Amino acid sequence: MSQPPSRRGLLRLAAGTAAAAPLLHATPAAASAAAEPATATAASRSSAAAPEAPAAAAAPVPPTWTVQPFALDRVTLGDGVFRRKRDLMLGYARSYPADRILAVFRANAGLDTRGARPPGGWETSDGNLRGHYGGHFLTLVAQAYADTRETALKTKLDYLVTALGECQAASADHGSPRPSHPGYLAAYPETQFILLESYTTYPTIWAPYYTCHKIMRGLLDAHTLGGNAQALTIASKMGDWVHSRLGRLPKAQLERMWSIYIAGEYGGMNEVMADLYALTGRAEHLAAARCFDNTALLDACADGRDVLDGRHANQHIPQFTGYVRLFDHTGEQEYAAAARNFWGMVVGPRTYSQGGAGKGEIFRARGAIAATLGDDNAETCATYNMLKLSRQLFFHAPDAAYMDYYERGLTNHILASRRDTSSTTSPEVTYFVGMGPGTVRQYDNTGTCCGGTGMENHTKYQDSVYFRSAAGDALYVNLYLASTLRWPERGLVLEQTSAYPAEGVRTLTFREGGGSLDLKLRVPSWATAGFTVAVNGVQEQASAVPGSYLTLRREWRRGDRVTVSAPYRLRVERASDDPTVQSLFHGPVLLVARSQATDFRQFSFYRDFTLRGDLADAIRPEGRPQYFTTHGLTLAPFHVADDARYHAYFRRVEPVVVFGTSDSGVPNRSRGDGLTFLDVLWQQAPFVTSAAFLAAVRALADAWRADGRFTPAERDRVVAAATAANLRR
């Protein structure tokens, strides 16, 4: 049976209309195996700052977390591309009319819409997902306020919350029809929820609990980030309504509901209900969170059984963040194991080079990367949710692999998802980010799911730069973004200067405070060209292992400086199902070839190699930072978000064993894992001398002959070509 059209497909069809713990401490590697308020400008920040949100608004930190995040307002971004992208989204947050966001809610509650039109896209007066975008917008404004403390943003946030409270009350008092519980709040009648209970499918109904989640999440963010007490009251009433609907249903009925494609998609309802419980302490809210157990998938992942092939990616990813939060509250190990194993089934086996996953919104077979490249890969929502899951898992088990993935997804997908142009009418973000040859990013996405998460993405870049240990005796530096951390409990202000994602030295300066503290510096897995650290100009002798944390333990003083150097190298990453299909990176940064062609570009590099065996022998700097040229094409950092066609993957073609100008004429055959003779040889580089190079060629050629991949004559020709080669260092 063919699947219903994707949500993106329906959006395109509608475009014309719209225009008129223990287990959590296992390593990720093991997991892989198995009214309209006035607006403000940026310049008004210091002169129009609102008072701090009440501390009581903060969400409680679970005792299960060995590592804790800092509140969003404790970390500020420094100069650089991340702040520029954030500022583009702040312009949208300040300018977009709140009454347009509220129009669908007011219409449903029988209130005056004040002449405002809904945003469009899926957020229309008759759309089955209307209201979801409003939830995201709440989060956007809450995050923007937490970051900037601009009075106008706080006023806007409070206006939105007050209006939603009026809608909730009006629906309960004189709704037509009146909802089953006074806590109900949505932008459409309760009908969709009722129909879901009789297993009505998409597109007759469209993910009602997904929309509920976005609204509740936005309200909780308005409370915890914006200090709005009414937001918690509204969300708590919504939680009571959720419990009143689901708490009476048999488990088998709930499980069948959650298994329905898209109609049963509930986003992170289990997570938001668990977070609500942490704030209210109401047992009904925790019970309602457990109603969202998607048991068959939960059990399979807990057992390490990979059954993801063919499942809707973003329907399921946020469920596992919810399971982590349920583990925090219940201690039930199945939740922990399922989340950890699920992460390992996605990161690596189903992850494209930029950190995204899925084709046409669907998880494909494990390891199917080259086979699934197209223009509809990597729904941006999915990466948004994978980053959230990675954070949650790290809080329990601070393994560098979680932050390696976080860096990849943040730098090469999320940063790249915001068009580099200002707009006050559109979020200008991507939906799919195609990985096939000659694809082009499409932006806007007003009213879509990725438009919603996209608004959030670019106003919380700083949320994972630093973490602290639960005891407060260690500071994790996870990302090398220009930023300033304020840790008032320790009287500490730490400033990081950095040009990231460009190459360069990162400097951490203790501007205020100090004392005994373990400073844990992440050594990225890509840092194979070295990772050196100096304190006040004196180099540390500690060993830095890529894919780990290096700990500096000392009494810190005001003015202390820590400099970190991790030179970038050009490197390739091979697709697991076809090693000849490769992506090119400069350190952590994905480079894409600019070309109008729509078939794979073919690149050969080994012919240009010197004894050092470095891709820099074949790929030349173009003149601009992080731009290169090869085979007559420009290679650009993918986070430069424009409308140019790009190639994130290329076809590696090295047909003959050649050393510089010395051609053996022997086919460059591969072994069982797909690696060729030249691949294996150059993995041993750099070679100190020509003699060392020749010895390596002889040994490998003998092995290839012994395995039947070279004839004796071919072996001799390869060695002769290597002997005749004049490779410089």
Side-chain angles (χ1 to χ4, degrees):
M1 180 181 294
S2 63
Q3 288 184 329
S6 72
R7 295 175 294 179
R8 181 64 170 172
L10 288 184
L11 175 64
R12 288 171 175 159
L13 291 173
T17 303
L23 286 174
L24 274 172
H25 284 270
T27 66
S32 287
E36 197 46 18
T39 59
T41 64
S44 70
R45 176 174 175 174
S46 59
S47 61
E52 289 252 345
V61 175
T64 51
W65 291 4
T66 61
V67 175
Q68 302 174 7
F70 289 95
L72 201 64
D73 63 347
R74 297 290 171 84
V75 182
T76 57
L77 291 173
D79 289 337
V81 62
F82 285 90
R83 192 163 82 176
R84 290 195 296 272
K85 297 261 192 177
R86 180 210 64 178
D87 288 349
L88 292 173
M89 195 59 75
L90 285 179
Y92 179 74
R94 296 180 183 116
S95 303
Y96 198 80
D99 285 331
R100 292 195 67 181
I101 295 294
L102 294 166
V104 289
F105 292 95
R106 286 170 167 159
N108 184 60
L111 300 176
D112 183 4
T113 63
R114 308 188 182 191
R117 296 178 295 107
W122 301 341
E123 196 75 4
T124 61
S125 59
D126 59 351
N128 276 351
L129 212 67
R130 62 191 186 270
H132 81 108
Y133 199 68
H136 287 297
F137 194 81
L138 273 173
T139 296
L140 164 66
V141 179
Q143 290 177 173
Y145 167 66
D147 188 8
T148 67
R149 284 296 188 253
E150 290 178 10
T151 301
L153 288 168
K154 173 66 167 147
T155 302
K156 190 170 203 168
L157 183 65
D158 292 345
Y159 178 84
L160 287 161
V161 172
T162 299
L164 290 174
E166 292 168 351
C167 292
Q168 188 180 51
S171 294
D173 291 345
H174 50 75
S176 179
R178 295 179 66 176
S180 63
H181 186 282
Y184 181 74
L185 173 62
Y188 45 71
E190 208 170 358
T191 311
Q192 286 205 59
F193 298 92
I194 297 168
L195 289 173
L196 178 60
E197 292 169 14
S198 60
Y199 315 124
T200 303
T201 59
Y202 166 83
T204 302
I205 64 171
W206 195 346
Y209 281 101
Y210 174 96
T211 302
C212 181
H213 164 243
K214 304 311 173 190
I215 300 167
M216 291 187 70
R217 179 81 268 162
L219 288 165
L220 289 192
D221 289 338
H223 176 65
T224 59
L225 298 175
N228 187 297
Q230 185 187 10
L232 179 59
T233 300
I234 298 169
S236 183
K237 290 178 180 178
M238 290 183 71
D240 294 343
W241 167 80
V242 173
H243 183 259
S244 74
R245 283 224 71 91
L246 301 183
R248 59 182 174 79
L249 300 182
K251 186 173 179 62
Q253 183 178 0
L254 291 169
E255 292 171 355
R256 183 173 171 186
M257 287 161 56
W258 309 143
S259 70
I260 302 173
Y261 174 78
I262 290 186
E265 182 176 0
Y266 60 71
M269 276 302 303
N270 48 2
E271 178 196 15
V272 78
M273 291 303 304
D275 288 350
L276 180 63
Y277 167 71
L279 290 163
T280 67
R282 291 175 52 81
E284 296 90 344
H285 295 158
L286 182 59
R290 296 170 69 101
C291 288
F292 292 94
D293 284 2
N294 189 3
T295 305
L297 180 59
L298 173 63
D299 289 348
C301 289
D303 292 342
R305 290 182 284 114
D306 190 333
V307 295
L308 300 187
D309 188 10
R311 295 181 183 268
H312 188 282
N314 201 52
Q315 180 167 348
H316 296 100
I317 297 170
Q319 296 176 5
F320 289 87
T321 304
Y323 295 148
V324 179
R325 298 296 286 119
L326 281 167
F327 168 76
D328 290 334
H329 292 302
T330 69
E332 293 183 16
Q333 301 292 349
E334 183 183 36
Y335 290 130
R340 173 177 52 82
N341 291 341
F342 173 84
W343 188 91
M345 294 170 188
V346 178
V347 176
R350 292 183 171 87
T351 304
Y352 300 106
S353 54
Q354 103 287 37
K359 177 175 173 57
E361 303 183 0
I362 306 299
F363 282 131
R364 303 304 180 183
R366 187 182 184 95
I369 300 299
T372 60
L373 299 178
D375 63 358
D376 59 349
N377 301 120
E379 183 183 3
T380 305
C381 275
T383 300
Y384 160 92
N385 279 309
M386 284 302 300
L387 297 187
K388 289 185 67 175
L389 177 59
S390 299
R391 292 181 86 238
Q392 290 286 334
L393 291 170
F394 190 93
F395 296 154
H396 298 83
D399 191 297
Y402 293 126
M403 285 297 115
D404 271 343
Y405 169 73
Y406 197 98
E407 179 184 58
R408 177 188 294 266
L410 183 70
T411 304
N412 297 304
H413 190 172
I414 300 306
L415 190 64
S417 69
R418 178 53 169 86
R419 190 205 295 261
D420 294 324
T421 187
S422 62
S423 175
T424 58
T425 59
S426 165
E428 292 295 339
V429 293
T430 57
Y431 194 109
F432 293 124
V433 178
M435 290 283 100
T439 51
V440 62
R441 278 167 284 189
Q442 297 179 353
Y443 306 95
D444 183 26
N445 283 297
T446 299
T448 72
C449 57
C450 291
T453 56
M455 292 190 292
E456 298 180 32
N457 281 328
H458 307 284
T459 48
K460 63 182 181 74
Y461 287 131
Q462 71 267 43
D463 72 351
S464 297
V465 177
Y466 311 98
F467 293 151
R468 49 160 290 183
S469 64
D473 57 357
L475 176 66
Y476 290 80
V477 181
N478 304 312
L479 302 171
Y480 295 100
L481 274 63
S483 54
T484 299
L485 166 68
R486 292 171 177 82
W487 190 354
E489 294 84 355
R490 288 190 59 112
L492 181 66
V493 176
L494 184 72
E495 180 186 27
Q496 179 175 182
T497 57
S498 166
Y500 185 90
E503 188 175 10
V505 173
R506 325 312 186 186
T507 302
L508 298 156
T509 304
F510 286 79
R511 295 299 185 191
E512 300 288 344
S516 179
L517 180 71
D518 286 358
L519 188 64
K520 294 182 173 289
L521 305 172
R522 184 174 68 89
V523 185
S525 59
W526 51 261
T528 57
F531 186 92
T532 58
V533 178
V535 178
N536 297 328
V538 179
Q539 186 166 322
E540 294 289 311
Q541 299 305 309
S543 176
V545 179
S548 70
Y549 280 82
L550 185 154
T551 301
L552 301 179
R553 180 177 292 117
R554 62 186 290 150
E555 290 283 335
W556 300 96
R557 298 176 179 174
R558 179 179 179 178
D560 281 345
R561 291 183 301 106
V562 179
T563 56
V564 177
S565 176
Y568 288 6
R569 293 184 67 180
L570 291 162
R571 59 187 174 87
V572 295
E573 290 187 0
R574 299 176 173 91
S576 53
D577 53 338
D578 185 349
T580 69
V581 175
Q582 302 178 1
S583 280
L584 188 64
F585 284 80
H586 186 226
V589 178
L590 174 65
L591 301 177
V592 294
R594 298 289 180 86
S595 171
Q596 293 296 313
T598 55
D599 56 348
F600 279 114
R601 301 296 80 199
Q602 296 188 353
F603 293 168
S604 301
F605 299 132
Y606 289 137
R607 182 184 296 273
D608 296 319
F609 272 23
T610 65
L611 291 178
R612 66 178 183 167
D614 197 319
L615 283 167
D617 294 328
I619 301 171
R620 307 297 184 185
E622 188 235 40
R624 292 174 287 174
Q626 293 190 289
Y627 282 78
F628 299 85
T629 60
T630 190
H631 296 75
L633 298 176
T634 295
L635 302 175
F638 193 43
H639 61 74
V640 176
D642 54 24
D643 301 312
R645 291 198 175 274
Y646 60 87
H647 295 247
Y649 286 88
F650 59 90
R651 177 79 68 185
R652 186 72 172 269
V653 179
E654 308 278 4
V656 179
V657 178
V658 178
F659 309 110
T661 60
S662 184
D663 188 341
S664 73
V666 176
N668 182 33
R669 298 190 184 99
S670 62
R671 63 189 187 188
D673 60 3
L675 296 184
T676 69
F677 177 87
L678 289 175
D679 290 334
V680 178
L681 173 68
W682 288 110
Q683 282 179 347
Q684 302 172 56
F687 300 104
V688 178
T689 63
S690 295
F693 165 73
L694 186 55
V697 172
R698 283 197 180 104
L700 187 60
D702 287 342
W704 241 244
R705 183 188 62 184
D707 290 341
R709 296 187 183 93
F710 286 166
T711 67
E714 287 175 332
R715 178 266 178 202
D716 293 344
R717 286 157 56 194
V718 167
V719 173
T723 303
N726 182 22
L727 303 186
R728 66 194 186 284
R729 280 194 57 76

